[in-house]
Amino acid sequence: MMGLPMFHVITGGSGSGKSAYAEQCVLDLGPAERIYVATMYPYDEECHARIARHRQMRSRKQFATVECYTGLAGLRVPAGSVVLLECMSNLVANEMYQEQGAGEGTVEAVTDGIDSLLGQAGHLVVVTNEIFSDGLQYDEETARYQRYLGEINARMGCLADAVTEVVCGIPLTVKGGKSS
Amino acid sequence: MILVIGGAFQGKQQFARDISGLEDWADGRTCGEEELDTCSGMIHFHEYIRNRLAKGQDCTGIAERVARTNPNVVLVANELGCGVVPMDAFDRRYRETVGRICTGLAAEAEAVYRVVCGIGVKIK
């Protein structure tokens, strides 16, 4: 893995192909212990369908799936493993709105969690979401959600070796040279 | 096939006219379903998909089909999906379906342009 980025942030809109791209990035790193950190809490039928679709996409790619809805800093992963966390937008919503979540301390809780994973994993890929460009004015609570996710994305972008935006399945480099 | 995408009101249509030289365009807001197979170019392709979804049609496989039936078509679509997840289930399905179809089209296309501020950037 010499010369490859250790921390890769992948962003994109809904249906942009960012998940498929992120999984391919992990596979391109070659044989490794692969951990998939799933953050979507299955609260309704649509979530179940979404989760099933992603499980189908990952089948035969040899990921061990670990669910983490809140408290990322407490998550333990095998030393040196390749970790794919998906999706940051869900983790942030969970921290903000679930009973055991960090509430107003969401940004710190999540960034501590990222630091913690970076201390354990050999390679970290985080999928996040572009939810900032529809130009609509939202209620105060939704705007707070956008602000928290935006802050976390910016902090991750600062730490990351590579940031990629996926558009129609095509990776566009935002930061860092070689995408992986 | 050429795919031109970008946010609303970015000058996609003019850009698509300039690069393709096409005069006659089907309009996805109003055209018939079959025109996707026969037109030289289509604007508002996302609205074409929206209309079909609104009629309860299954749109999976459209990208692969158009690549077969109309391989030289120029398609112009809004890039959706970069906002907060909509409250309405149809809106969620609409933007995700358009995203997946455009991803499929991009895979088949010989060129993909993304237009920002009237400037087309070739991303494939």
Side-chain angles (χ1 to χ4, degrees):
Chain A
M1 284 194 232
M2 286 285 284
L4 291 174
M6 211 195 97
F7 182 24
H8 188 174
V9 175
I10 296 169
T11 189
S14 166
S16 61
K18 56 191 187 302
S19 303
Y21 175 72
E23 287 169 16
Q24 192 55 51
C25 287
V26 168
L27 296 184
D28 288 348
L29 292 168
E33 187 167 12
R34 297 175 186 138
I35 309 291
Y36 183 88
V37 181
T39 63
M40 174 174 271
Y41 186 78
Y43 59 87
D44 68 5
E45 236 355 89
E46 199 173 311
C47 292
H48 279 291
R50 199 168 280 274
I51 289 166
R53 181 179 163 274
H54 279 249
R55 279 191 181 275
Q56 173 63 29
M57 280 169 64
R58 288 200 306 280
S59 64
R60 298 197 301 276
K61 291 178 183 166
Q62 293 166 313
F63 279 94
T65 300
V66 183
E67 275 121 15
C68 180
Y69 305 129
T70 56
L72 184 63
L75 184 69
R76 292 291 159 262
V77 297
S81 56
V82 176
V83 177
L84 170 55
L85 184 146
E86 184 169 35
C87 168
M88 185 51 79
S89 58
N90 293 122
L91 182 64
V92 170
N94 295 341
E95 288 289 6
M96 287 178 73
Y97 302 118
Q98 285 192 6
E99 212 171 303
Q100 70 278 22
E104 291 186 358
T106 291
V107 174
E108 287 66 31
V110 169
T111 47
D112 286 353
I114 293 295
D115 287 342
S116 161
L117 281 183
L118 285 172
Q120 304 173 63
H123 201 107
L124 176 62
V125 179
V126 173
V127 175
T128 187
N129 202 341
E130 285 305 299
I131 59 156
F132 311 103
S133 306
D134 57 6
L136 300 180
Q137 284 287 339
Y138 290 100
D139 60 278
E140 206 174 306
E141 201 44 49
T142 307
R144 191 164 70 101
Y145 170 66
Q146 287 181 301
R147 191 170 74 243
Y148 284 5
L149 183 60
E151 266 183 50
I152 289 164
N153 282 355
R155 287 205 199 180
M156 289 198 299
C158 192
L159 291 173
D161 302 284
V163 179
T164 304
E165 180 186 10
V166 181
V167 177
C168 295
I170 298 164
L172 306 179
T173 299
V174 179
K175 177 182 178 180
K178 162 95 172 75
S179 294
S180 76
Chain B
M1 187 196 304
I2 294 175
L3 179 65
V4 177
I5 52 132
F9 312 112
Q10 295 299 306
K12 297 185 295 296
Q13 198 174 322
Q14 188 59 51
F15 176 80
R17 284 178 196 277
D18 291 347
I19 57 160
S20 68
L22 283 178
E23 301 279 342
D24 294 324
W25 294 79
D27 187 337
R29 290 178 299 192
T30 51
C31 72
E33 280 168 29
E34 68 294 340
E35 286 189 58
L36 184 58
D37 295 323
T38 57
C39 66
S40 306
M42 183 183 289
I43 56 171
H44 302 122
F45 175 69
H46 56 290
E47 297 279 358
Y48 174 88
I49 298 299
R50 188 176 215 282
N51 286 341
R52 294 189 60 159
L53 287 174
K55 287 182 199 156
Q57 295 179 3
D58 178 11
C59 290
T60 48
I62 279 190
E64 295 70 19
R65 211 195 68 189
V66 71
R68 223 173 32 245
T69 59
N70 199 356
N72 296 316
V73 71
V74 182
L75 295 172
V76 181
N78 276 16
E79 195 180 339
L80 308 173
C82 291
V84 175
V85 178
M87 297 295 281
D88 181 76
F90 178 80
D91 289 343
R92 288 197 293 275
R93 197 154 64 84
Y94 160 54
R95 63 179 209 148
E96 183 167 345
T97 302
V98 170
R100 301 219 177 283
I101 289 171
C102 285
T103 300
L105 292 169
E108 304 278 357
E110 62 195 71
V112 180
Y113 295 90
R114 187 190 208 192
V115 181
V116 180
C117 300
I119 298 164
V121 178
K122 191 173 190 178
I123 63 174
K124 177 185 175 182

